[in-house]
Amino acid sequence: MKVWGLHLAVLAALALLGLVLPQYHATNLARIMVLAVFAMGYNLAFGYAGLLSLGHALFFAAGMYGAGLPAWHWGWGAAPALLAGAMAGGLAAVIVGLLALRTAGVSFMIVTLMFAKAFALTILYFNSWTGGDEGFVVPDTGRALFGATLAADGPRYALAWGLFTVALGLSLLLVRSRFGRVMVALRENEERARMLGINPYAAKLQVMGISGLYSGAAGAAYALLFGYVGGTFADIQYSILPMLYVLLGGAGTVLGAGLGAALMFYLTDVASSVTDAWLFVVGAALVVLVLFAPKGILGWVRARWWRDLP
Amino acid sequence: MSLLEARGLTRHFGGLRAVDGVDFDLEAGEIHALIGPNGAGKTTFVSLLSGRLAPQAGTIRLAGEDITRTPAHIRVRKGVAYTFQITSIFPGLSVFDNVALAAQGARVRDLKAAVQAALSRVGMVGMAAEVAGVLSYGHQRLLELAMGLALAPRVLILDEPTQGLAAGEIEGFKALVRSLVPQVAVLLIEHNMEVVMDLATRITVLNFGQVLAQGTPDQVRADPAVQEAYLGA
Ligand SMILES: Nc1ncnc2c1ncn2[C@@H]1O[C@H](COP(=O)(O)OP(=O)(O)OP(=O)(O)O)[C@@H](O)[C@H]1O
Ligand SMILES: [Mg+2]
């Protein structure tokens, strides 16, 4: 009860903020919510199941291009494009998982990293079709959803909030289900899990698929809400970002991904407005975090006050 | 036909013959002790049975079905449960979640009831909310046992379950194992001879990866080869 109350309160607060915040901040918040969905997907793999992937940019970009390309080339509307993007992310993650999950630990990091790099290069290679380096602007037809346009502030915020809500609700249901328990078991002691009748490979592949769906949906939404698709989103930094969000907010906590995304976003925003060396500020903040709250903010809250925080 | 049957089971590590052509039968409803000096190959042998290791030669059958190449997690689902010699639990999870993971592997519907039942059999009711990693060593051993029980197995393989238990806890353990048969067949690796002689209906003695003797406790006790090699009489 308490758990659902907290999460509903967060969602209500976000809905309210969309109505009262000045436009600049509302747009920021929409961006944060979409990135938070990406981070939630990353969190399911990394925070819960212990899969340290460096390839999630691939799934995010698969969602972007999965939505953006049909919108650009074939004039798809926002609804089918979103769906296609999410599916593309999930499919990409399953394909990568089929191979990468035969490894673990550092090898898994390297294999996922290589897949993402290969995908980024593929985008550049087919530049006549993907827009290559420069990317492309999503046409207005692709940003039309049920008579509204996602280029407008209200609908944009509403869709970001809706996606965030669905993602948060599903995460909560998932981690509190039997399968959620299995995910944590894989992280904590895979050999023991196997000897309890769990097939680690199959379970991890499912986690990858779900994580990819999240990442793909986020990538698709990002493309449609902000109107641009480009190869930079397939770069390694977009694999690192969700990891930072999750580490900051608390790996293995449902709300941690969103909290981390918001804090990191504004930290970067503020730091870059006062100094050119904003990366230094962000780095220093991360060092402080690792030293004083290695489990992230909500991980610390869970250890201190609320053991059952999911 | 025995419940679990091994023929010519072999596993070498380089030149070391850890398990070397072992024939073995576990009958339904029996408590079968597996004994032998340190390094005799007991853990390796049961790892072959449970599927944690693949044999280099030989066959394993469960109720007549060849499971030699069956992956470990499927053997567990078919009813072969293994508790680790070196305690292996989920330290960051609650006692409840540890046992629930086992129970849901057995496709139990009412998870709470199944967990409570397993915990009460090992005398750990009321500890469900505690974090497994901070339990005493003895309680972690019992938790491991509860996880084995929650799997509702046909064959329960216990690898030195009494190691680290206090004398009082060993009495409880003996009563527990007795209460499992005849529904469950128990394969018990044990160094504590008193426990072995009290519980076992049959004993297999392993030495240098080979079966040295097999029989009832009395037969094994009287076997001169066993006395020389193991009991050191
Ligand atoms: N993975 C492995 N690689 C190499 N050698 C191994 C491996 N596992 C076990 N051995 C060796 O095989 C032999 C049998 O070991 P095993 O653990 O099966 O003995 P055990 O009878 O269970 O002994 P204990 O009573 O001490 O538990 C030992 O000499 C051990 O060092
Ligand atoms: Mg052993």
Side-chain angles (χ1 to χ4, degrees):
Chain A
M1 267 335 286
K2 207 169 139 194
V3 168
W4 284 101
L6 169 72
H7 290 75
L8 286 174
V10 169
L11 291 173
L14 284 170
L16 201 66
L17 282 174
L19 299 175
V20 301
L21 277 184
Q23 200 42 57
Y24 170 72
H25 288 288
T27 306
N28 276 351
L29 206 48
R31 207 181 288 271
I32 287 169
M33 285 191 286
V34 173
L35 289 173
V37 172
F38 183 25
M40 276 186 231
Y42 190 82
N43 195 21
L44 290 175
F46 167 65
Y48 286 92
L51 297 169
L52 186 51
S53 153
L54 286 181
H56 266 60
L58 160 51
F59 314 142
F60 187 74
M64 262 196 152
Y65 284 90
L69 288 176
W72 185 27
H73 291 296
W74 307 318
W76 285 22
L82 260 178
L83 210 60
M87 302 302 282
L91 189 66
V94 169
I95 292 169
V96 169
L98 278 172
L99 289 153
L101 287 173
R102 298 188 182 280
T103 66
V106 176
S107 318
F108 181 77
M109 290 164 63
I110 293 172
V111 173
T112 48
L113 179 69
M114 287 304 163
F115 268 107
K117 188 74 206 161
F119 186 74
L121 291 174
T122 308
I123 290 170
L124 296 185
Y125 184 78
F126 293 104
N127 60 356
S128 63
W129 208 63
T130 62
D133 234 356
E134 288 168 22
F136 59 91
V137 171
V138 180
D140 286 341
T141 47
R143 303 176 74 184
L145 186 69
F146 308 130
T149 171
L150 297 174
D153 295 327
R156 178 195 288 140
Y157 194 89
L159 184 73
W161 182 84
L163 186 67
F164 181 84
T165 299
V166 171
L168 190 75
L170 288 181
S171 270
L172 206 48
L173 285 175
L174 190 66
V175 305
R176 287 154 70 86
S177 70
R178 289 189 179 195
F179 187 69
R181 197 178 278 125
V182 169
M183 298 199 306
V184 176
L186 292 172
R187 180 189 77 198
E188 289 268 317
N189 188 344
E190 180 174 332
E191 178 60 7
R192 201 14 164 159
R194 183 197 312 280
M195 296 314 289
L196 292 179
I198 294 162
N199 180 350
Y201 181 74
K204 287 188 211 165
L205 195 59
Q206 288 177 49
V207 174
M208 281 295 276
I210 297 167
S211 182
L213 271 177
Y214 269 75
S215 309
Y222 204 94
L224 302 180
L225 293 185
F226 305 104
Y228 170 72
V229 174
T232 46
F233 292 103
D235 279 347
I236 169 85
Q237 77 189 85
Y238 275 85
S239 291
I240 304 286
L241 270 185
M243 187 195 302
L244 293 184
Y245 296 162
V246 165
L247 287 173
L248 180 60
T253 64
V254 170
L255 282 173
L259 181 63
L263 288 176
M264 188 66 82
F265 189 92
Y266 273 102
L267 184 63
T268 312
D269 199 50
V270 171
S272 55
S273 70
V274 292
T275 165
D276 283 342
W278 59 273
L279 261 176
F280 178 81
V281 177
V282 171
L286 282 171
V287 170
V288 169
L289 174 79
V290 169
L291 287 180
F292 295 101
K295 290 177 175 166
I297 295 166
L298 291 185
W300 183 74
V301 168
R302 173 150 69 193
R304 267 305 181 76
W305 291 306
W306 191 354
R307 237 189 67 193
D308 292 329
L309 183 71
Chain B
M1 183 179 67
S2 55
L3 183 52
L4 189 63
E5 169 196 298
R7 289 292 173 269
L9 216 52
T10 299
R11 174 79 201 208
H12 297 174
F13 295 111
L16 181 82
R17 301 168 166 219
V19 174
D20 199 26
V22 171
D23 292 345
F24 173 85
D25 289 278
L26 183 70
E27 307 295 341
E30 73 170 333
I31 301 175
H32 195 134
L34 183 63
I35 64 173
N38 289 115
K42 304 179 297 293
T43 296
T44 306
F45 174 66
V46 296
S47 297
L48 297 172
L49 293 181
S50 66
R52 296 183 62 218
L53 286 175
Q56 287 149 338
T59 57
I60 306 164
R61 287 174 181 279
L62 176 67
E65 182 192 356
D66 189 332
I67 57 165
T68 314
R69 304 265 160 250
T70 305
H73 66 270
I74 295 180
R75 290 190 209 188
V76 176
R77 287 190 211 156
K78 285 181 188 290
V80 182
Y82 174 73
T83 69
F84 289 69
Q85 175 172 3
I86 298 161
T87 306
S88 180
I89 55 175
F90 304 103
L93 299 188
S94 67
V95 167
F96 179 89
D97 283 335
N98 270 269
V99 182
L101 276 159
Q104 67 189 43
R107 304 281 187 273
V108 165
R109 275 185 184 238
D110 187 347
L111 216 47
K112 279 208 179 99
V115 171
Q116 278 311 318
L119 285 179
S120 73
R121 290 193 91 159
V122 300
M124 284 180 66
V125 273
M127 300 181 80
E130 292 187 33
V131 176
V134 303
L135 294 176
S136 71
Y137 183 75
H139 277 131
Q140 291 188 356
R141 293 302 295 170
L142 292 173
L143 171 59
E144 172 109 40
L145 195 57
M147 291 160 79
L149 297 178
L151 284 168
R154 287 197 278 173
V155 174
L156 181 58
I157 302 172
L158 301 169
D159 199 345
E160 300 199 20
T162 65
Q163 204 181 44
L165 291 195
E169 290 171 321
I170 290 183
E171 284 311 311
F173 168 77
K174 285 199 280 193
L176 169 63
V177 171
R178 273 197 206 98
S179 75
L180 295 177
V181 289
Q183 291 83 4
V184 181
V186 178
L187 175 54
L188 173 70
I189 299 180
E190 185 56 69
H191 276 300
N192 183 332
M193 273 307 153
E194 189 212 315
V195 173
V196 170
M197 293 303 170
D198 258 17
L199 283 178
T201 41
R202 282 201 305 151
I203 298 177
T204 295
V205 186
L206 222 53
N207 200 18
F208 296 115
Q210 295 184 334
V211 175
L212 190 67
Q214 215 157 30
T216 64
D218 287 336
Q219 288 168 338
V220 166
R221 220 187 321 232
D223 191 306
V226 174
Q227 291 186 352
E228 191 183 333
Y230 183 59
L231 298 175

PDB file of all heavy atoms in Angstrom, chain A residues 12-29:
ATOM      1  N   ALA A  12       1.526  11.773  -9.671  1.00  0.00           N
ATOM      2  CA  ALA A  12       0.610  12.907  -9.543  1.00  0.00           C
ATOM      3  C   ALA A  12       1.397  14.210  -9.529  1.00  0.00           C
ATOM      4  O   ALA A  12       1.034  15.196 -10.191  1.00  0.00           O
ATOM      5  CB  ALA A  12      -0.217  12.760  -8.264  1.00  0.00           C
ATOM      6  N   ALA A  13       2.502  14.206  -8.791  1.00  0.00           N
ATOM      7  CA  ALA A  13       3.328  15.415  -8.713  1.00  0.00           C
ATOM      8  C   ALA A  13       3.847  15.785 -10.099  1.00  0.00           C
ATOM      9  O   ALA A  13       3.854  16.966 -10.487  1.00  0.00           O
ATOM     10  CB  ALA A  13       4.489  15.192  -7.744  1.00  0.00           C
ATOM     11  N   LEU A  14       4.264  14.784 -10.871  1.00  0.00           N
ATOM     12  CA  LEU A  14       4.785  15.058 -12.208  1.00  0.00           C
ATOM     13  C   LEU A  14       3.692  15.619 -13.120  1.00  0.00           C
ATOM     14  O   LEU A  14       3.931  16.519 -13.927  1.00  0.00           O
ATOM     15  CB  LEU A  14       5.386  13.789 -12.819  1.00  0.00           C
ATOM     16  CG  LEU A  14       6.758  13.392 -12.271  1.00  0.00           C
ATOM     17  CD1 LEU A  14       7.143  12.006 -12.749  1.00  0.00           C
ATOM     18  CD2 LEU A  14       7.820  14.410 -12.669  1.00  0.00           C
ATOM     19  N   ALA A  15       2.481  15.076 -12.984  1.00  0.00           N
ATOM     20  CA  ALA A  15       1.373  15.581 -13.790  1.00  0.00           C
ATOM     21  C   ALA A  15       1.106  17.043 -13.460  1.00  0.00           C
ATOM     22  O   ALA A  15       0.923  17.887 -14.345  1.00  0.00           O
ATOM     23  CB  ALA A  15       0.122  14.741 -13.537  1.00  0.00           C
ATOM     24  N   LEU A  16       1.126  17.337 -12.171  1.00  0.00           N
ATOM     25  CA  LEU A  16       0.884  18.703 -11.712  1.00  0.00           C
ATOM     26  C   LEU A  16       1.968  19.654 -12.220  1.00  0.00           C
ATOM     27  O   LEU A  16       1.691  20.751 -12.707  1.00  0.00           O
ATOM     28  CB  LEU A  16       0.854  18.699 -10.176  1.00  0.00           C
ATOM     29  CG  LEU A  16       0.139  19.882  -9.533  1.00  0.00           C
ATOM     30  CD1 LEU A  16      -1.342  19.813  -9.871  1.00  0.00           C
ATOM     31  CD2 LEU A  16       0.340  19.860  -8.012  1.00  0.00           C
ATOM     32  N   LEU A  17       3.200  19.211 -12.113  1.00  0.00           N
ATOM     33  CA  LEU A  17       4.322  20.040 -12.569  1.00  0.00           C
ATOM     34  C   LEU A  17       4.160  20.415 -14.036  1.00  0.00           C
ATOM     35  O   LEU A  17       4.506  21.524 -14.451  1.00  0.00           O
ATOM     36  CB  LEU A  17       5.647  19.301 -12.361  1.00  0.00           C
ATOM     37  CG  LEU A  17       6.185  19.282 -10.930  1.00  0.00           C
ATOM     38  CD1 LEU A  17       7.425  18.396 -10.833  1.00  0.00           C
ATOM     39  CD2 LEU A  17       6.499  20.691 -10.460  1.00  0.00           C
ATOM     40  N   GLY A  18       3.640  19.485 -14.824  1.00  0.00           N
ATOM     41  CA  GLY A  18       3.444  19.759 -16.241  1.00  0.00           C
ATOM     42  C   GLY A  18       2.497  20.922 -16.469  1.00  0.00           C
ATOM     43  O   GLY A  18       2.605  21.644 -17.461  1.00  0.00           O
ATOM     44  N   LEU A  19       1.563  21.084 -15.512  1.00  0.00           N
ATOM     45  CA  LEU A  19       0.583  22.158 -15.667  1.00  0.00           C
ATOM     46  C   LEU A  19       1.115  23.496 -15.180  1.00  0.00           C
ATOM     47  O   LEU A  19       0.750  24.543 -15.705  1.00  0.00           O
ATOM     48  CB  LEU A  19      -0.696  21.808 -14.893  1.00  0.00           C
ATOM     49  CG  LEU A  19      -1.409  20.532 -15.361  1.00  0.00           C
ATOM     50  CD1 LEU A  19      -2.593  20.207 -14.457  1.00  0.00           C
ATOM     51  CD2 LEU A  19      -1.866  20.678 -16.811  1.00  0.00           C
ATOM     52  N   VAL A  20       1.954  23.471 -14.155  1.00  0.00           N
ATOM     53  CA  VAL A  20       2.343  24.732 -13.522  1.00  0.00           C
ATOM     54  C   VAL A  20       3.736  25.234 -13.910  1.00  0.00           C
ATOM     55  O   VAL A  20       4.017  26.421 -13.787  1.00  0.00           O
ATOM     56  CB  VAL A  20       2.256  24.642 -11.979  1.00  0.00           C
ATOM     57  CG1 VAL A  20       0.840  24.282 -11.556  1.00  0.00           C
ATOM     58  CG2 VAL A  20       3.253  23.623 -11.435  1.00  0.00           C
ATOM     59  N   LEU A  21       4.603  24.337 -14.363  1.00  0.00           N
ATOM     60  CA  LEU A  21       5.976  24.766 -14.644  1.00  0.00           C
ATOM     61  C   LEU A  21       6.038  25.681 -15.860  1.00  0.00           C
ATOM     62  O   LEU A  21       5.258  25.538 -16.795  1.00  0.00           O
ATOM     63  CB  LEU A  21       6.864  23.547 -14.916  1.00  0.00           C
ATOM     64  CG  LEU A  21       7.444  22.799 -13.722  1.00  0.00           C
ATOM     65  CD1 LEU A  21       8.366  21.692 -14.217  1.00  0.00           C
ATOM     66  CD2 LEU A  21       8.195  23.739 -12.787  1.00  0.00           C
ATOM     67  N   PRO A  22       6.983  26.626 -15.840  1.00  0.00           N
ATOM     68  CA  PRO A  22       7.223  27.412 -17.052  1.00  0.00           C
ATOM     69  C   PRO A  22       7.708  26.500 -18.184  1.00  0.00           C
ATOM     70  O   PRO A  22       8.278  25.438 -17.923  1.00  0.00           O
ATOM     71  CB  PRO A  22       8.310  28.398 -16.625  1.00  0.00           C
ATOM     72  CG  PRO A  22       8.871  27.886 -15.342  1.00  0.00           C
ATOM     73  CD  PRO A  22       7.825  27.041 -14.710  1.00  0.00           C
ATOM     74  N   GLN A  23       7.474  26.952 -19.418  1.00  0.00           N
ATOM     75  CA  GLN A  23       7.674  26.056 -20.545  1.00  0.00           C
ATOM     76  C   GLN A  23       9.062  25.447 -20.631  1.00  0.00           C
ATOM     77  O   GLN A  23       9.228  24.271 -20.927  1.00  0.00           O
ATOM     78  CB  GLN A  23       7.342  26.766 -21.863  1.00  0.00           C
ATOM     79  CG  GLN A  23       7.069  25.788 -22.989  1.00  0.00           C
ATOM     80  CD  GLN A  23       6.206  24.613 -22.513  1.00  0.00           C
ATOM     81  OE1 GLN A  23       5.104  24.826 -22.014  1.00  0.00           O
ATOM     82  NE2 GLN A  23       6.705  23.406 -22.635  1.00  0.00           N
ATOM     83  N   TYR A  24      10.078  26.258 -20.337  1.00  0.00           N
ATOM     84  CA  TYR A  24      11.445  25.748 -20.437  1.00  0.00           C
ATOM     85  C   TYR A  24      11.627  24.514 -19.558  1.00  0.00           C
ATOM     86  O   TYR A  24      12.141  23.487 -19.979  1.00  0.00           O
ATOM     87  CB  TYR A  24      12.443  26.840 -20.030  1.00  0.00           C
ATOM     88  CG  TYR A  24      13.860  26.343 -19.882  1.00  0.00           C
ATOM     89  CD1 TYR A  24      14.621  25.997 -21.004  1.00  0.00           C
ATOM     90  CD2 TYR A  24      14.425  26.196 -18.608  1.00  0.00           C
ATOM     91  CE1 TYR A  24      15.918  25.526 -20.855  1.00  0.00           C
ATOM     92  CE2 TYR A  24      15.718  25.723 -18.460  1.00  0.00           C
ATOM     93  CZ  TYR A  24      16.461  25.390 -19.576  1.00  0.00           C
ATOM     94  OH  TYR A  24      17.740  24.921 -19.444  1.00  0.00           O
ATOM     95  N   HIS A  25      11.159  24.609 -18.326  1.00  0.00           N
ATOM     96  CA  HIS A  25      11.335  23.505 -17.407  1.00  0.00           C
ATOM     97  C   HIS A  25      10.418  22.342 -17.735  1.00  0.00           C
ATOM     98  O   HIS A  25      10.775  21.175 -17.525  1.00  0.00           O
ATOM     99  CB  HIS A  25      11.128  23.979 -15.967  1.00  0.00           C
ATOM    100  CG  HIS A  25      12.266  24.834 -15.480  1.00  0.00           C
ATOM    101  ND1 HIS A  25      13.503  24.319 -15.196  1.00  0.00           N
ATOM    102  CD2 HIS A  25      12.363  26.171 -15.285  1.00  0.00           C
ATOM    103  CE1 HIS A  25      14.321  25.293 -14.822  1.00  0.00           C
ATOM    104  NE2 HIS A  25      13.651  26.432 -14.878  1.00  0.00           N
ATOM    105  N   ALA A  26       9.246  22.621 -18.247  1.00  0.00           N
ATOM    106  CA  ALA A  26       8.338  21.537 -18.626  1.00  0.00           C
ATOM    107  C   ALA A  26       8.949  20.707 -19.746  1.00  0.00           C
ATOM    108  O   ALA A  26       8.870  19.469 -19.746  1.00  0.00           O
ATOM    109  CB  ALA A  26       6.987  22.111 -19.054  1.00  0.00           C
ATOM    110  N   THR A  27       9.578  21.378 -20.700  1.00  0.00           N
ATOM    111  CA  THR A  27      10.237  20.640 -21.782  1.00  0.00           C
ATOM    112  C   THR A  27      11.400  19.821 -21.238  1.00  0.00           C
ATOM    113  O   THR A  27      11.595  18.670 -21.627  1.00  0.00           O
ATOM    114  CB  THR A  27      10.740  21.620 -22.856  1.00  0.00           C
ATOM    115  OG1 THR A  27       9.649  22.432 -23.274  1.00  0.00           O
ATOM    116  CG2 THR A  27      11.302  20.868 -24.055  1.00  0.00           C
ATOM    117  N   ASN A  28      12.146  20.424 -20.337  1.00  0.00           N
ATOM    118  CA  ASN A  28      13.220  19.662 -19.680  1.00  0.00           C
ATOM    119  C   ASN A  28      12.669  18.402 -19.014  1.00  0.00           C
ATOM    120  O   ASN A  28      13.230  17.320 -19.136  1.00  0.00           O
ATOM    121  CB  ASN A  28      13.894  20.520 -18.609  1.00  0.00           C
ATOM    122  CG  ASN A  28      14.972  21.415 -19.204  1.00  0.00           C
ATOM    123  OD1 ASN A  28      15.315  21.264 -20.380  1.00  0.00           O
ATOM    124  ND2 ASN A  28      15.468  22.331 -18.409  1.00  0.00           N
ATOM    125  N   LEU A  29      11.588  18.598 -18.319  1.00  0.00           N
ATOM    126  CA  LEU A  29      11.025  17.486 -17.555  1.00  0.00           C
ATOM    127  C   LEU A  29      10.515  16.390 -18.499  1.00  0.00           C
ATOM    128  O   LEU A  29      10.645  15.197 -18.199  1.00  0.00           O
ATOM    129  CB  LEU A  29       9.892  18.000 -16.659  1.00  0.00           C
ATOM    130  CG  LEU A  29       9.628  17.185 -15.402  1.00  0.00           C
ATOM    131  CD1 LEU A  29      10.905  16.887 -14.638  1.00  0.00           C
ATOM    132  CD2 LEU A  29       8.644  17.919 -14.499  1.00  0.00           C
TER     133      LEU A  29
END
